[in-house]
Amino acid sequence: MNVLLLGSGAREHALAWKLAQSPKLGKLFAAPGNPGIAQHARLVQIDPADHRGTVDFCLKNSVELIVIGPEAPLVDGLADNLRTMGFCVFGPNKVPAQLEGSKGFTKDLCARHKIPTARYSKASDKLGAEAALEDFGLPVVIKADGLAAGKGVVIAQTPEEAQGALEALFARGKADVVIEEFLEGEEVSFFALTDGTAIVPFGSAQDHKRVGDGDTGPNTGGMGAYSPASILTAELERRVIDEIVAPTVRALAKQGHPYSGILYAGLMLTADGPKLIEYNARFGDPECQVLMMRLENDLLDLMCSAAKGNLAESEPPRFSDEAALTVVMAANGYPGTPERGGALAGIEEAEQLGARVFQAGTAESDGKLVADGGRVLAVTASGKTLKAAQEAAYAAVDLIDFPTGFYRRDIGWRAL
């Protein structure tokens, strides 16, 4: 089976690495990919925003499955057009992808179907948002309604911070915001594979969003993660499926827009039980890296089962009992303007220890690997315990020479 993988981050590198292990894989194409992905796939120049061009490439190269890694093409409706042309696609269509594309869409769906989530209000202008703020205490959560690359959330501790967040959001032009009550508890990520009817768990993880040690500094796309999240017990996982994920999948199917692909629920485990913070319509990054390290069966089989609607008859995902942990190495300046062009070395030595170094913002320059983005590498390792996985990951990190980069030294601290 020929497969096209869209994306260029460490998430897609992890997916390419796992897909390449399938005995059923024919040719694996990746667009645009990166030097790490090129170790497993043939890189091709396709713009996912060019739906016609993507369809033409798949027709000419006998592609049978398209795996859409990032969220933007999903929200843009690429999966709809590919499915219309008869291709199997891993990833939801445009309407169900609004679970990630619009915070307001998700909050309204939760309200209609009594899915536990934070109390909220929506506003489309600054005056309305300021009025809505009066109904909330402090701290208060202010979110950009649309896609924001994991950085569109502000937790305001004071009225001045809340006002500043609104001014920053509306200064960009027309914008919608969602204002939410602040939930207290432990955050956890839960993943479910679904074909629109059947739902199977696909592991749990916890990530570290803040840029600095001790969860300090601004939010990022994620500075590291580990799996499984031991705090999400079997009982809590069942509640998440029954009270949050399954009602969401049923609601979308009833609307005539079944969700197909991976559904990523960001949760808060509160004193009242699990509550939904937000949905993502794709694998998380860096959560995908630790999930792929632990997945034991054929990823291509699982993706095809979801895409073809026969997930209920397929072998469910199997995960190793071992823990996995990933440390993101980022370029200086991230999450602001990253320093590009910094040399990278020592990846082979790190992988000789048993770690996997998934590449994100990398490029080749004069035959050498250099940094070409904010998050550059995701150094991932497994171990019999989370502590062992942490030690293995940092042992690999210490072998990588990246003088213009930085990383956190405390990934996994919550559980440890």
Side-chain angles (χ1 to χ4, degrees):
M1 173 181 289
N2 292 347
V3 177
L4 171 63
L5 171 64
L6 298 178
S8 61
R11 166 182 52 216
E12 287 76 31
H13 188 180
L15 293 174
W17 171 70
K18 201 67 184 178
L19 285 168
Q21 298 172 25
S22 173
K24 298 179 181 178
L25 180 68
K27 295 178 182 177
L28 178 59
F29 303 97
N34 65 40
I37 295 172
Q39 298 170 11
H40 313 288
R42 176 186 153 197
L43 302 191
V44 294
Q45 292 303 311
I46 301 172
D47 181 0
D50 179 6
H51 295 192
R52 181 71 254 177
T54 305
V55 168
D56 287 345
F57 175 86
C58 293
L59 289 171
K60 290 176 183 176
N61 291 277
S62 302
V63 171
E64 297 176 65
L65 175 70
I66 299 95
V67 179
I68 303 176
E71 60 273 21
L74 296 169
V75 173
D76 189 42
L78 176 60
D80 304 61
N81 289 330
L82 289 167
R83 286 190 171 101
T84 297
M85 295 301 296
F87 294 107
C88 286
V89 182
F90 186 82
N93 281 351
K94 182 173 185 175
V95 171
Q98 296 308 306
L99 287 178
E100 178 166 6
S102 169
K103 306 289 192 299
F105 175 92
T106 299
K107 299 298 284 191
D108 289 346
L109 184 146
C110 289
R112 288 195 304 271
H113 297 278
K114 296 181 172 54
I115 296 169
T117 188
R119 183 170 60 87
Y120 74 103
S121 181
K122 298 190 298 182
S124 56
D125 59 67
K126 187 165 174 284
L127 286 177
E130 289 172 341
L133 271 178
E134 297 178 3
D135 295 330
F136 294 84
L138 292 170
V140 63
V141 181
I142 300 172
K143 298 179 178 180
D145 184 63
L147 297 178
K151 293 174 260 187
V153 179
V154 174
I155 300 174
Q157 303 287 343
T158 66
E160 292 76 20
E161 287 183 6
Q163 185 68 26
L166 292 179
E167 288 176 357
L169 286 171
F170 288 111
R172 302 174 189 170
K174 179 172 172 54
D176 292 334
V177 301
V178 175
I179 299 169
E180 297 183 5
E181 68 171 324
F182 177 77
L183 296 177
E184 292 191 19
E186 185 98 18
E187 282 193 49
V188 66
S189 301
F190 174 73
F191 298 82
L193 195 62
T194 179
D195 56 12
T197 304
I199 301 168
V200 294
F202 202 93
S204 64
Q206 286 188 290
D207 74 336
H208 297 66
K209 287 291 187 192
R210 300 282 185 174
V211 72
D213 285 3
D215 288 337
T216 57
N219 270 334
T220 71
M223 292 299 294
Y226 54 90
S227 176
S230 58
I231 193 169
L232 189 69
T233 63
E235 179 185 354
L236 284 173
E237 182 178 292
R238 175 47 54 193
R239 285 190 64 182
V240 169
I241 294 173
D242 291 346
E243 299 172 18
I244 298 175
V245 175
T248 301
V249 172
R250 285 196 300 266
L252 289 168
K254 191 173 181 180
Q255 293 173 23
H257 299 289
Y259 190 104
S260 175
I262 195 78
L263 184 56
Y264 164 8
L267 308 165
M268 186 69 78
L269 304 183
T270 75
D272 300 322
K275 293 187 178 183
L276 179 71
I277 300 173
E278 63 182 11
Y279 276 127
N280 290 324
R282 36 72 192 180
F283 282 108
D285 185 346
E287 295 91 342
C288 183
Q289 291 87 298
V290 288
L291 290 173
M292 291 305 110
M293 285 290 282
R294 296 184 57 233
L295 181 65
E296 293 184 328
N297 47 343
D298 192 323
L299 177 64
L300 182 56
D301 267 349
L302 291 166
M303 287 181 161
C304 286
S305 295
K308 294 177 179 179
N310 56 13
L311 196 57
E313 292 81 46
S314 302
E315 181 185 7
R318 287 194 324 275
F319 289 92
S320 166
D321 291 333
E322 290 198 344
L325 184 141
T326 189
V327 179
V328 170
M329 303 184 76
N332 289 339
Y334 180 76
T337 303
E339 182 177 340
R340 296 176 184 268
L344 297 163
I347 290 177
E348 289 185 9
E349 290 81 355
E351 292 195 330
Q352 286 173 2
L353 292 183
R356 295 296 312 178
V357 181
F358 296 116
Q359 297 182 32
T362 61
E364 288 186 349
S365 177
D366 297 326
K368 296 182 179 180
L369 194 67
V370 298
D372 192 42
R375 293 186 295 173
V376 178
L377 303 174
V379 184
T380 313
S382 56
K384 292 186 180 301
T385 64
L386 183 58
K387 182 65 175 174
Q390 184 193 53
E391 290 174 351
Y394 278 110
V397 165
D398 289 341
L399 291 177
I400 295 175
D401 185 21
F402 182 18
T404 61
F406 72 98
Y407 56 92
R408 284 181 55 166
R409 292 287 329 181
D410 64 346
I411 301 301
W413 74 267
R414 281 198 203 96
L416 294 172

